[in-house]
Amino acid sequence: MNTIAKDRHPDAQPDAQSAESALAMRPKPERAAAPDANPSIGSLAQRIDQIDWFDAEEELNAYGCAMLRNLLTAQECDALTALYPRDALFRSRVVMARHGFGRGEYKYFAYPLPPLVAALRSELYPRLAPVANRWNEAMGIDVRYPAAHAEFIERCHAAGQTRPTPLMLQYATDDYNCLHQDLYGEHVFPLQVAILLSEPGEDFTGGEFVMTEQRPRMQSRTEVVPLGKGDAVVFAVHHRPVQGTRGPYRVNLRHGVSRLRSGQRHTLGVIFHDAT
């Protein structure tokens, strides 16, 4: 998970007018109906349909991350957490301290992915691909992403990126995750999702999801995302466009988790590209 790499795209300045239009002139989708009072009722696909994706993109454009409240039910969170001891479901385990990544550990799922993890990948991707394409257009990057996740995974696998990247992370008291970027290979989908599976204040304290953003000739900006159990954050993997006086330019982002003060914390990471 903690694959830290240099920017794979040179900071070429895009054409200001066309790049700005890519962000400002995007079509505004029809707003979804308000979710039920109990968001756990209904399928995952219905919950994803109920998200206000226009507002989510506004948050992504402004801050590089957006919260998706109540994406999973408490029961789904507990069921996923219960998978962690089942080593047969995972292709590898990483102890962070051995690699200087922080403290704690995580495991990458093996194919076939658990049904809920596979559904999160396939259902969230089509909502995020248009955002990713608008970002790339604004930043002058030629890569475009297909509408369906299966098509994008075929692209990854054809390039030798065949190892699944969805993962589960486990933290205990004093554990933390250093700032990093999840790149894994040539083909990188520019957005990913982290879902908190534990309850802050009950299962653990501390352990906040944090992001930093580095703009040229400016000090880094920090964002702390206050997740609850079942909440998700969608965020930039590597960089995002920011509007400047001469058009959009790229800023670099990293993410991590602050030190746990007590308890145990589990997180599901949904990364849309596979690894070499």
Side-chain angles (χ1 to χ4, degrees):
M1 175 187 146
N2 288 274
T3 303
I4 303 178
K6 295 180 180 179
D7 192 335
R8 296 179 184 275
H9 304 285
D11 270 337
Q13 187 75 8
D15 177 78
Q17 183 175 359
S18 62
E20 183 174 358
S21 297
L23 291 177
M25 301 303 292
R26 71 187 186 281
K28 183 173 181 178
E30 182 179 348
R31 289 181 179 268
D36 296 334
N38 184 353
S40 65
I41 298 175
S43 68
L44 175 64
Q46 289 172 327
R47 273 173 264 150
I48 291 174
D49 284 342
Q50 289 171 339
I51 293 170
D52 189 328
W53 288 103
F54 183 82
D55 281 358
E57 184 171 354
E58 290 287 287
E59 291 283 304
L60 283 166
N61 288 338
Y63 305 110
C65 62
M67 289 185 63
L68 309 178
R69 294 284 191 186
N70 300 309
L71 181 62
L72 295 183
T73 67
Q75 293 78 12
E76 288 167 339
C77 291
D78 293 343
L80 286 169
T81 300
L83 300 179
Y84 196 81
R86 297 173 57 184
D87 288 340
L89 297 175
F90 300 91
R91 65 174 177 84
S92 67
R93 171 177 174 262
V94 177
V95 178
M96 293 190 218
R98 295 176 184 170
H99 307 277
F101 295 161
R103 283 187 51 173
E105 64 177 55
Y106 53 89
K107 296 179 181 179
Y108 290 104
F109 283 101
Y111 279 132
L113 299 174
L116 182 56
V117 178
L120 284 163
R121 244 186 167 192
S122 62
E123 295 290 341
L124 287 169
Y125 174 91
R127 302 291 188 165
L128 299 175
V131 182
N133 285 331
R134 284 190 278 271
W135 278 15
N136 276 10
E137 182 178 353
M139 293 185 290
I141 299 171
D142 292 335
V143 175
R144 297 295 179 267
Y145 302 96
H149 185 249
E151 296 178 52
F152 177 62
I153 284 296
E154 287 180 5
R155 182 186 300 179
C156 291
H157 289 187
Q161 293 178 220
T162 59
R163 297 189 298 163
T165 51
L167 71 163
M168 193 174 297
L169 304 98
Q170 178 175 272
Y171 304 90
T173 302
D174 289 333
D175 288 350
Y176 61 94
N177 197 342
C178 294
L179 295 169
H180 64 280
Q181 298 169 327
D182 298 313
L183 299 177
Y184 298 114
E186 175 188 358
H187 295 282
V188 175
F189 189 73
L191 295 161
Q192 68 188 74
V193 176
I195 308 169
L196 183 60
L197 305 179
S198 307
E199 188 64 65
E202 294 184 13
D203 298 324
F204 69 96
T205 60
E208 294 88 357
F209 179 91
V210 297
M211 290 188 67
T212 61
E213 178 179 277
Q214 180 60 59
R215 301 190 185 189
R217 298 175 297 280
M218 297 176 65
Q219 293 184 340
S220 296
R221 181 182 68 85
T222 302
E223 186 83 11
V224 178
V225 182
L227 298 172
K229 184 174 183 176
D231 291 342
V233 56
V234 52
F235 57 97
V237 173
H238 189 190
H239 46 221
R240 72 178 184 93
V242 170
Q243 183 62 39
T245 56
R246 293 185 295 175
Y249 62 93
R250 303 179 201 182
V251 297
N252 198 54
L253 298 102
R254 300 183 189 276
H255 64 278
V257 172
S258 68
R259 179 171 62 90
L260 255 71
R261 306 289 176 165
S262 64
Q264 192 173 67
R265 179 190 192 273
H266 287 88
T267 306
L268 176 68
V270 181
I271 299 168
F272 297 97
H273 47 275
D274 277 353
T276 52

